[in-house]
Amino acid sequence: MIDLYYAPTPNGWKVAIMLEECGLPYQARFLDIFHGAQLTPGFLAISPNAKMPAIVDRGGNGGAIPVFESGAILWYLAEKTGRFMSHDPIARKETMEWLFWQTGNQGPMAGQLAHFRMFGPTGGQDYALKRYRGEYERSLAVLERRLRQDEFIVGSYSIADMLAFPWAFIAKNLDVSLEPFPEVKRWRETIKARPAVQRAIALMKDRQNKGEHNSGNNTTLYNQSARHLLDIS
Ligand SMILES: N[C@@H](CCC(=O)N[C@@H](CS)C(=O)NCC(=O)O)C(=O)O
């Protein structure tokens, strides 16, 4: 059994998609990141960066194995199951490149765009919005060029697609049109139609937070500093 520490966000969907695709038994535990659940000692022992998604694999050799960071979690699950990652060394190298690309580029840029659009103070955000919108669109262009070569990012459907899909899936919520990116649009539709993906996206949908500018509810989430992790003033 795998415990999935989860909230219904694009980063959360990545792991839910992989678990559903593999048919692994898992229990989703809602992590209320809007009210500080990520900062409790118990969760920090699993996820030292104080973010979800994270898993604890209770069926692993040697007892409970915690894994944090979506890219590491999908890699771990692909190794565990032997699924959704090629055994060919060059294809594995490419999968790793796209995994690092997603978690180091597309994810953070889209995340910042979402933050300033949906959660930041109203007004006065023009530079941040322009910067992150430009970087998000650039990431879609990187995907577009890649997907002109093949149906999926690395050969057949893999963890590389599962990682990149959620942030392309929500383009409309970020007020970005996919019309200039026809291959991304085609790829997005193909993945969206998969039953496992539909189940993952429906997981705890009722808990989805669509964003509240300047909301008091967001204080914990967006006013963190080193003080939240270390005993310093
Ligand atoms: N690089 C991380 C990003 C995870 C992340 O940003 N998670 C957000 C929700 S989507 C979170 O837990 N935020 C809580 C916080 O910032 O306090 C990954 O890919 O797993």
Side-chain angles (χ1 to χ4, degrees), residues 17-76:
I17 290 172
M18 179 64 169
L19 290 165
E20 288 287 345
E21 291 284 11
C22 293
L24 285 166
Y26 71 97
Q27 185 177 20
R29 297 169 178 272
F30 177 65
L31 192 81
D32 189 353
I33 54 178
F34 283 88
H35 296 94
Q38 68 275 43
L39 295 166
T40 58
F43 185 67
L44 284 172
I46 296 166
S47 181
N49 194 34
K51 290 183 194 284
M52 70 92 223
I55 63 166
V56 176
D57 182 359
R58 302 198 176 277
N61 297 334
I65 299 173
V67 194
F68 75 105
E69 280 292 322
S70 61
I73 298 168
L74 265 63
W75 187 272
Y76 172 86

Side-chain angles (χ1 to χ4, degrees), residues 139-214:
S139 81
L140 293 172
V142 172
L143 261 184
E144 177 72 13
R145 286 166 57 88
R146 179 69 181 185
L147 292 168
R148 278 181 194 160
Q149 298 165 30
D150 225 328
E151 192 183 355
F152 295 104
I153 297 176
V154 183
S156 50
Y157 179 57
S158 75
I159 59 169
D161 302 293
M162 296 179 206
L163 287 161
F165 164 79
W167 286 109
F169 177 65
I170 64 155
K172 210 185 266 179
N173 304 57
L174 301 177
D175 197 27
V176 170
S177 165
L178 288 183
E179 289 309 318
F181 312 105
E183 294 300 322
V184 175
K185 218 173 142 184
R186 181 255 317 146
W187 166 87
R188 178 187 177 279
E189 290 308 308
T190 304
I191 297 175
K192 189 181 143 199
R194 296 180 67 89
V197 173
Q198 307 248 329
R199 287 196 297 277
I201 286 169
L203 186 65
M204 296 186 192
K205 205 178 170 134
D206 52 320
R207 301 238 191 208
Q208 218 159 26
N209 189 309
K210 297 261 165 54
E212 297 168 68
H213 285 284
N214 284 327

Side-chain angles (χ1 to χ4, degrees), residues 43-167:
F43 185 67
L44 284 172
I46 296 166
S47 181
N49 194 34
K51 290 183 194 284
M52 70 92 223
I55 63 166
V56 176
D57 182 359
R58 302 198 176 277
N61 297 334
I65 299 173
V67 194
F68 75 105
E69 280 292 322
S70 61
I73 298 168
L74 265 63
W75 187 272
Y76 172 86
L77 294 174
E79 293 276 19
K80 178 186 169 82
T81 58
R83 302 194 61 196
F84 300 111
M85 184 165 64
S86 170
H87 298 291
D88 171 70
I90 298 297
R92 287 169 75 84
K93 186 268 311 175
E94 288 183 10
T95 306
M96 188 176 286
E97 288 171 331
W98 287 97
L99 181 155
F100 276 101
W101 170 78
Q102 198 292 317
T103 57
N105 293 270
Q106 186 215 26
M109 295 301 144
Q112 292 306 313
L113 177 57
H115 172 82
F116 283 102
R117 259 191 64 75
M118 296 155 81
F119 300 102
T122 320
Q125 308 294 316
D126 294 356
Y127 180 79
L129 282 168
K130 182 171 178 290
R131 160 76 181 159
Y132 292 118
R133 187 187 171 96
E135 278 297 304
Y136 176 62
E137 288 180 339
R138 202 185 67 77
S139 81
L140 293 172
V142 172
L143 261 184
E144 177 72 13
R145 286 166 57 88
R146 179 69 181 185
L147 292 168
R148 278 181 194 160
Q149 298 165 30
D150 225 328
E151 192 183 355
F152 295 104
I153 297 176
V154 183
S156 50
Y157 179 57
S158 75
I159 59 169
D161 302 293
M162 296 179 206
L163 287 161
F165 164 79
W167 286 109

